[in-house]
Amino acid sequence: MAVSLWHKKVIFFGGKGGVGKTTCSASFGLLAAKRGLRTLVVSTDPAHSLGDIFATHIDEEGQLAPNLWGYEINPVKESERYTEQIKSQFQNVVSPVIMEEIQRQIEAAYSAPGSEEAAIFDKFIDMLERIETEFDLVVFDTAPTGHTLRLLSLPELLASWIEHLIAQREKANRLMSMAAVGSPELKEKTDKPDPVLATLKRREERFRRAREFIVDNQAASFIFVVNAEKLPIMETQKAMEILVKYQIPIGGVIVNRLLPTDQEGPFWTRRRELEKKYMAEIEEQFGSLILAKLPLLPDDIYGRQALDQIVQMLEEQIID
Ligand SMILES: Nc1ncnc2c1ncn2[C@@H]1O[C@H](COP(=O)(O)OP(=O)(O)O)[C@@H](O)[C@H]1O
Ligand SMILES: [Mg+2]
């Protein structure tokens, strides 16, 4: 039996750029909050528009409505924070000379490509860990597909990488203990718990928990937002294949920006023909996964009034 969306703990909204991910995350978040769930909407897209869509400025974290909070992950700030945190973890446990070396390595690593991604990922895990204590539901308003799938595949990739680091560290420690035989001074050092190993193991545990959360059918769900156009459909198909590969549960598809039916003229006739063709493709590909169909509204989605229109449509269509 499929678990109702309203019992999920984490829901991801994904899809091609511009299809309506932020619109749907915000509206879904509002609806969840209205239903009494303490809800946090987290934007992982570096090009944030979560605060904007509520016509407010959340400056990282802020309340958006009763029961509803928003968080925009700022990659630059997170990278800095992450670096500082790692530095301070080592500060008290190694000598100043080694600390200098560690500092140098951390700085090199954190200006390297991929470092912002690591920091976003770390924050992403922080958010998952707030579920159940602070929030009933965390909604992720994600970056366009590629970026997000990479984020979701990281727990698995990083788990094997960190296992390797742990094995290496344990091996080095064993060698040190062997070398310490007969040297009381060295022995005293090697008998102490290894803080580096402890840090690695803590990180491994975090990755493991994140992975468990993401693949848990009861807890997590990935909802695609799609428009009845060629490229968004193609991108969604590809993304679904990857989710299946990583065993990430797919919760449904929202078709957004459907054309008005009351417009006359050759332009609209042509656009509607195309839309009909793509809609048939969507029905064929995703049929039973379709959760809701939303019309293209005459205005931008900006501010509560506009959002509430979408909320109402979702409420009518998402029944479970
Ligand atoms: N159903 C809709 N009707 C009218 N405008 C929409 C609708 N859905 C989205 N938009 C507009 O389309 C643009 C992109 O939407 P957004 O939710 O920011 O997409 P994404 O987060 O996927 O990039 C925004 O300007 C938004 O106001
Ligand atoms: Mg967006």
Side-chain angles (χ1 to χ4, degrees):
M1 224 329 248
V3 176
S4 152
L5 272 182
W6 303 115
H7 291 106
K8 299 283 180 189
K9 298 190 165 64
V10 42
I11 296 183
F12 299 94
F13 281 87
K16 195 172 160 47
V19 292
K21 295 180 294 298
T22 302
T23 301
C24 289
S25 312
S27 310
F28 192 90
L30 274 169
L31 182 51
K34 200 171 144 190
R35 293 175 61 114
L37 300 174
R38 285 168 309 159
T39 305
L40 175 69
V41 183
V42 181
S43 165
T44 66
D45 188 344
H48 296 297
S49 59
L50 182 62
D52 296 342
I53 204 170
F54 281 90
T56 181
H57 185 66
I58 48 182
D59 192 23
E60 283 204 333
E61 183 160 359
Q63 186 156 13
L64 296 167
N67 270 341
L68 185 69
W69 291 264
Y71 194 104
E72 291 176 345
I73 298 181
N74 177 331
V76 177
K77 251 196 227 166
E78 287 317 328
S79 286
E80 285 168 9
R81 198 177 298 172
Y82 190 50
T83 314
E84 282 309 312
Q85 185 196 333
I86 291 183
K87 273 190 208 162
S88 69
Q89 273 176 6
F90 285 101
Q91 204 107 52
N92 304 320
V93 294
V94 297
S95 73
V97 179
I98 297 181
M99 191 56 219
E100 233 170 73
E101 176 60 20
I102 289 178
Q103 207 134 330
R104 222 174 42 77
Q105 284 189 11
I106 290 174
E107 260 146 35
Y110 281 90
S111 52
S115 65
E116 286 190 356
E117 191 184 38
I120 291 184
F121 179 64
D122 209 60
K123 198 74 209 175
F124 167 74
I125 300 181
D126 279 352
M127 295 301 167
L128 288 179
E129 298 201 328
R130 295 171 74 179
I131 295 170
E132 276 164 0
T133 51
E134 285 173 74
F135 301 106
D136 302 308
L137 172 68
V138 177
V139 173
F140 286 98
D141 169 19
T142 73
T145 327
H147 190 278
T148 298
L149 293 177
R150 166 108 189 115
L151 193 69
L152 293 178
S153 67
L154 280 177
E156 188 162 300
L157 291 175
L158 292 179
S160 52
W161 168 75
I162 208 156
E163 268 168 35
H164 174 73
L165 287 183
I166 288 173
Q168 270 189 331
R169 186 77 194 173
E170 281 173 337
K171 192 171 157 202
N173 286 353
R174 272 199 306 278
L175 289 174
M176 280 290 279
S177 316
M178 271 151 73
V181 175
S183 157
E185 203 181 316
L186 251 184
K187 180 139 181 28
E188 198 194 324
K189 273 198 187 135
T190 55
D191 279 352
K192 277 195 204 141
D194 174 8
V196 177
L197 191 61
T199 304
L200 288 174
K201 288 202 160 157
R202 260 201 312 277
R203 296 192 66 70
E204 183 191 32
E205 175 60 16
R206 262 163 73 83
F207 294 156
R208 198 186 55 72
R209 276 204 305 271
R211 168 90 192 135
E212 270 177 16
F213 238 116
I214 292 171
V215 300
D216 180 351
N217 230 318
Q218 311 282 310
S221 209
F222 199 106
I223 296 177
F224 284 96
V225 183
V226 76
N227 298 155
E229 288 168 16
K230 186 80 196 159
L231 297 184
I233 296 175
M234 282 170 70
E235 194 162 319
T236 299
Q237 284 164 335
K238 277 190 258 173
M240 279 188 179
E241 282 169 25
I242 299 175
L243 289 192
V244 169
K245 185 173 143 214
Y246 285 105
Q247 300 163 294
I248 297 165
I250 298 170
V253 172
I254 294 177
V255 191
N256 187 27
R257 304 180 68 120
L258 290 169
L259 297 175
T261 48
D262 56 359
Q263 294 297 311
E264 312 265 338
F267 173 85
W268 292 104
T269 309
R270 168 75 188 139
R271 293 297 313 192
R272 274 196 297 267
E273 267 170 26
L274 270 180
E275 185 178 89
K276 202 169 156 210
K277 176 179 140 214
Y278 288 125
M279 207 49 225
E281 208 173 296
I282 289 174
E283 297 276 359
E284 191 195 315
Q285 296 283 334
F286 315 124
S288 62
L289 285 173
I290 298 173
L291 290 172
K293 295 178 185 171
L294 306 173
L296 176 67
L297 297 177
D299 291 307
D300 280 350
I301 314 293
Y302 177 75
R304 264 308 285 277
Q305 254 186 340
L307 279 172
D308 281 339
Q309 282 178 276
I310 305 278
V311 173
Q312 197 188 337
M313 287 186 261
L314 288 179
E315 191 169 22
E316 285 160 8
Q317 295 184 59
I318 301 179
I319 359 172
D320 77 337

